[in-house]
PDB file of all heavy atoms in Angstrom:
ATOM      1  N   GLU W 187      15.612 -17.822   2.619  1.00 93.00           N
ATOM      2  CA  GLU W 187      14.622 -18.548   1.822  1.00 93.00           C
ATOM      3  C   GLU W 187      13.435 -17.655   1.465  1.00 93.00           C
ATOM      4  O   GLU W 187      12.831 -17.028   2.327  1.00 93.00           O
ATOM      5  CB  GLU W 187      14.128 -19.769   2.583  1.00 93.00           C
ATOM      6  CG  GLU W 187      13.147 -20.625   1.786  1.00 93.00           C
ATOM      7  CD  GLU W 187      12.709 -21.880   2.524  1.00 93.00           C
ATOM      8  OE1 GLU W 187      13.095 -22.046   3.693  1.00 93.00           O
ATOM      9  OE2 GLU W 187      11.972 -22.691   1.927  1.00 93.00           O
ATOM     10  N   PRO W 188      13.077 -17.598   0.185  1.00 95.00           N
ATOM     11  CA  PRO W 188      11.947 -16.757  -0.240  1.00 95.00           C
ATOM     12  C   PRO W 188      10.633 -17.531  -0.241  1.00 95.00           C
ATOM     13  O   PRO W 188      10.617 -18.768  -0.299  1.00 95.00           O
ATOM     14  CB  PRO W 188      12.345 -16.368  -1.660  1.00 95.00           C
ATOM     15  CG  PRO W 188      13.084 -17.575  -2.160  1.00 95.00           C
ATOM     16  CD  PRO W 188      13.812 -18.151  -0.962  1.00 95.00           C
ATOM     17  N   LYS W 189       9.541 -16.777  -0.214  1.00 96.00           N
ATOM     18  CA  LYS W 189       8.211 -17.338  -0.387  1.00 96.00           C
ATOM     19  C   LYS W 189       7.569 -16.651  -1.589  1.00 96.00           C
ATOM     20  O   LYS W 189       7.681 -15.432  -1.744  1.00 96.00           O
ATOM     21  CB  LYS W 189       7.360 -17.113   0.867  1.00 96.00           C
ATOM     22  CG  LYS W 189       7.847 -17.858   2.100  1.00 96.00           C
ATOM     23  CD  LYS W 189       6.942 -17.585   3.297  1.00 96.00           C
ATOM     24  CE  LYS W 189       7.420 -18.324   4.538  1.00 96.00           C
ATOM     25  NZ  LYS W 189       6.561 -18.037   5.718  1.00 96.00           N
ATOM     26  N   LEU W 190       6.896 -17.444  -2.415  1.00 97.00           N
ATOM     27  CA  LEU W 190       6.263 -16.904  -3.617  1.00 97.00           C
ATOM     28  C   LEU W 190       4.749 -16.985  -3.496  1.00 97.00           C
ATOM     29  O   LEU W 190       4.213 -17.933  -2.920  1.00 97.00           O
ATOM     30  CB  LEU W 190       6.728 -17.670  -4.861  1.00 97.00           C
ATOM     31  CG  LEU W 190       8.223 -17.637  -5.188  1.00 97.00           C
ATOM     32  CD1 LEU W 190       8.517 -18.473  -6.428  1.00 97.00           C
ATOM     33  CD2 LEU W 190       8.706 -16.206  -5.388  1.00 97.00           C
ATOM     34  N   GLU W 191       4.065 -16.012  -4.065  1.00 97.00           N
ATOM     35  CA  GLU W 191       2.604 -15.998  -4.110  1.00 97.00           C
ATOM     36  C   GLU W 191       2.160 -15.486  -5.479  1.00 97.00           C
ATOM     37  O   GLU W 191       2.781 -14.577  -6.045  1.00 97.00           O
ATOM     38  CB  GLU W 191       2.025 -15.072  -3.027  1.00 97.00           C
ATOM     39  CG  GLU W 191       2.329 -15.479  -1.600  1.00 97.00           C
ATOM     40  CD  GLU W 191       1.830 -14.437  -0.608  1.00 97.00           C
ATOM     41  OE1 GLU W 191       1.427 -13.342  -1.060  1.00 97.00           O
ATOM     42  OE2 GLU W 191       1.849 -14.712   0.603  1.00 97.00           O
ATOM     43  N   TRP W 192       1.060 -16.059  -5.990  1.00 98.00           N
ATOM     44  CA  TRP W 192       0.450 -15.564  -7.214  1.00 98.00           C
ATOM     45  C   TRP W 192      -0.759 -14.710  -6.842  1.00 98.00           C
ATOM     46  O   TRP W 192      -1.567 -15.104  -5.994  1.00 98.00           O
ATOM     47  CB  TRP W 192       0.007 -16.704  -8.119  1.00 98.00           C
ATOM     48  CG  TRP W 192       1.089 -17.248  -9.014  1.00 98.00           C
ATOM     49  CD1 TRP W 192       1.744 -18.429  -8.906  1.00 98.00           C
ATOM     50  CD2 TRP W 192       1.620 -16.603 -10.178  1.00 98.00           C
ATOM     51  NE1 TRP W 192       2.671 -18.576  -9.919  1.00 98.00           N
ATOM     52  CE2 TRP W 192       2.611 -17.471 -10.722  1.00 98.00           C
ATOM     53  CE3 TRP W 192       1.374 -15.387 -10.818  1.00 98.00           C
ATOM     54  CZ2 TRP W 192       3.332 -17.148 -11.870  1.00 98.00           C
ATOM     55  CZ3 TRP W 192       2.095 -15.075 -11.953  1.00 98.00           C
ATOM     56  CH2 TRP W 192       3.066 -15.949 -12.475  1.00 98.00           C
ATOM     57  N   GLN W 193      -0.911 -13.557  -7.501  1.00 97.00           N
ATOM     58  CA  GLN W 193      -2.047 -12.673  -7.247  1.00 97.00           C
ATOM     59  C   GLN W 193      -2.604 -12.150  -8.564  1.00 97.00           C
ATOM     60  O   GLN W 193      -1.866 -12.005  -9.548  1.00 97.00           O
ATOM     61  CB  GLN W 193      -1.632 -11.480  -6.378  1.00 97.00           C
ATOM     62  CG  GLN W 193      -1.171 -11.854  -4.982  1.00 97.00           C
ATOM     63  CD  GLN W 193      -0.731 -10.631  -4.170  1.00 97.00           C
ATOM     64  OE1 GLN W 193      -0.596  -9.534  -4.708  1.00 97.00           O
ATOM     65  NE2 GLN W 193      -0.527 -10.823  -2.878  1.00 97.00           N
ATOM     66  N   ASP W 194      -3.927 -11.868  -8.572  1.00 97.00           N
ATOM     67  CA  ASP W 194      -4.515 -11.230  -9.746  1.00 97.00           C
ATOM     68  C   ASP W 194      -4.410  -9.720  -9.600  1.00 97.00           C
ATOM     69  O   ASP W 194      -3.797  -9.211  -8.644  1.00 97.00           O
ATOM     70  CB  ASP W 194      -5.964 -11.683  -9.949  1.00 97.00           C
ATOM     71  CG  ASP W 194      -6.868 -11.326  -8.778  1.00 97.00           C
ATOM     72  OD1 ASP W 194      -6.489 -10.475  -7.951  1.00 97.00           O
ATOM     73  OD2 ASP W 194      -7.975 -11.892  -8.691  1.00 97.00           O
ATOM     74  N   SER W 195      -4.999  -8.966 -10.524  1.00 97.00           N
ATOM     75  CA  SER W 195      -4.841  -7.512 -10.521  1.00 97.00           C
ATOM     76  C   SER W 195      -5.491  -6.840  -9.313  1.00 97.00           C
ATOM     77  O   SER W 195      -5.147  -5.714  -8.968  1.00 97.00           O
ATOM     78  CB  SER W 195      -5.422  -6.920 -11.804  1.00 97.00           C
ATOM     79  OG  SER W 195      -6.804  -7.241 -11.924  1.00 97.00           O
ATOM     80  N   SER W 196      -6.416  -7.522  -8.647  1.00 97.00           N
ATOM     81  CA  SER W 196      -7.055  -6.962  -7.457  1.00 97.00           C
ATOM     82  C   SER W 196      -6.289  -7.288  -6.178  1.00 97.00           C
ATOM     83  O   SER W 196      -6.677  -6.860  -5.098  1.00 97.00           O
ATOM     84  CB  SER W 196      -8.491  -7.479  -7.344  1.00 97.00           C
ATOM     85  OG  SER W 196      -8.503  -8.880  -7.076  1.00 97.00           O
ATOM     86  N   GLY W 197      -5.195  -8.040  -6.308  1.00 96.00           N
ATOM     87  CA  GLY W 197      -4.413  -8.416  -5.138  1.00 96.00           C
ATOM     88  C   GLY W 197      -4.880  -9.686  -4.462  1.00 96.00           C
ATOM     89  O   GLY W 197      -4.377 -10.052  -3.398  1.00 96.00           O
ATOM     90  N   LYS W 198      -5.839 -10.371  -5.068  1.00 97.00           N
ATOM     91  CA  LYS W 198      -6.358 -11.613  -4.497  1.00 97.00           C
ATOM     92  C   LYS W 198      -5.373 -12.755  -4.733  1.00 97.00           C
ATOM     93  O   LYS W 198      -4.863 -12.936  -5.834  1.00 97.00           O
ATOM     94  CB  LYS W 198      -7.707 -11.948  -5.128  1.00 97.00           C
ATOM     95  CG  LYS W 198      -8.319 -13.231  -4.615  1.00 97.00           C
ATOM     96  CD  LYS W 198      -9.638 -13.528  -5.327  1.00 97.00           C
ATOM     97  CE  LYS W 198     -10.242 -14.838  -4.863  1.00 97.00           C
ATOM     98  NZ  LYS W 198     -11.509 -15.135  -5.581  1.00 97.00           N
ATOM     99  N   ASP W 199      -5.082 -13.512  -3.660  1.00 97.00           N
ATOM    100  CA  ASP W 199      -4.189 -14.659  -3.785  1.00 97.00           C
ATOM    101  C   ASP W 199      -4.854 -15.757  -4.616  1.00 97.00           C
ATOM    102  O   ASP W 199      -6.056 -16.025  -4.464  1.00 97.00           O
ATOM    103  CB  ASP W 199      -3.832 -15.220  -2.406  1.00 97.00           C
ATOM    104  CG  ASP W 199      -2.933 -14.274  -1.620  1.00 97.00           C
ATOM    105  OD1 ASP W 199      -2.307 -13.401  -2.257  1.00 97.00           O
ATOM    106  OD2 ASP W 199      -2.855 -14.393  -0.385  1.00 97.00           O
ATOM    107  N   LEU W 200      -4.072 -16.394  -5.473  1.00 97.00           N
ATOM    108  CA  LEU W 200      -4.584 -17.441  -6.345  1.00 97.00           C
ATOM    109  C   LEU W 200      -4.104 -18.816  -5.872  1.00 97.00           C
ATOM    110  O   LEU W 200      -3.001 -18.937  -5.325  1.00 97.00           O
ATOM    111  CB  LEU W 200      -4.100 -17.209  -7.781  1.00 97.00           C
ATOM    112  CG  LEU W 200      -4.458 -15.863  -8.410  1.00 97.00           C
ATOM    113  CD1 LEU W 200      -3.840 -15.757  -9.799  1.00 97.00           C
ATOM    114  CD2 LEU W 200      -5.968 -15.677  -8.484  1.00 97.00           C
ATOM    115  N   PRO W 201      -4.923 -19.843  -6.080  1.00 97.00           N
ATOM    116  CA  PRO W 201      -4.467 -21.206  -5.763  1.00 97.00           C
ATOM    117  C   PRO W 201      -3.224 -21.515  -6.596  1.00 97.00           C
ATOM    118  O   PRO W 201      -3.157 -21.201  -7.781  1.00 97.00           O
ATOM    119  CB  PRO W 201      -5.657 -22.084  -6.167  1.00 97.00           C
ATOM    120  CG  PRO W 201      -6.828 -21.163  -6.197  1.00 97.00           C
ATOM    121  CD  PRO W 201      -6.302 -19.825  -6.613  1.00 97.00           C
ATOM    122  N   ALA W 202      -2.237 -22.119  -5.972  1.00 97.00           N
ATOM    123  CA  ALA W 202      -0.982 -22.380  -6.679  1.00 97.00           C
ATOM    124  C   ALA W 202      -0.360 -23.682  -6.188  1.00 97.00           C
ATOM    125  O   ALA W 202      -0.682 -24.173  -5.104  1.00 97.00           O
ATOM    126  CB  ALA W 202      -0.013 -21.223  -6.481  1.00 97.00           C
ATOM    127  N   ARG W 203       0.529 -24.202  -7.013  1.00 96.00           N
ATOM    128  CA  ARG W 203       1.218 -25.464  -6.685  1.00 96.00           C
ATOM    129  C   ARG W 203       2.723 -25.205  -6.706  1.00 96.00           C
ATOM    130  O   ARG W 203       3.277 -24.696  -7.682  1.00 96.00           O
ATOM    131  CB  ARG W 203       0.858 -26.542  -7.708  1.00 96.00           C
ATOM    132  CG  ARG W 203       1.532 -27.904  -7.462  1.00 96.00           C
ATOM    133  CD  ARG W 203       1.000 -28.924  -8.445  1.00 96.00           C
ATOM    134  NE  ARG W 203       1.429 -28.630  -9.800  1.00 96.00           N
ATOM    135  CZ  ARG W 203       2.540 -29.154 -10.353  1.00 96.00           C
ATOM    136  NH1 ARG W 203       3.319 -29.952  -9.653  1.00 96.00           N
ATOM    137  NH2 ARG W 203       2.843 -28.864 -11.611  1.00 96.00           N
TER     138      ARG W 203
END
Side-chain angles (χ1 to χ4, degrees):
E187 183 177 5
K189 294 180 180 179
L190 299 179
E191 297 175 350
W192 275 107
Q193 296 178 350
D194 61 16
S195 59
S196 67
K198 179 182 178 181
D199 291 341
L200 303 177
R203 180 174 68 93

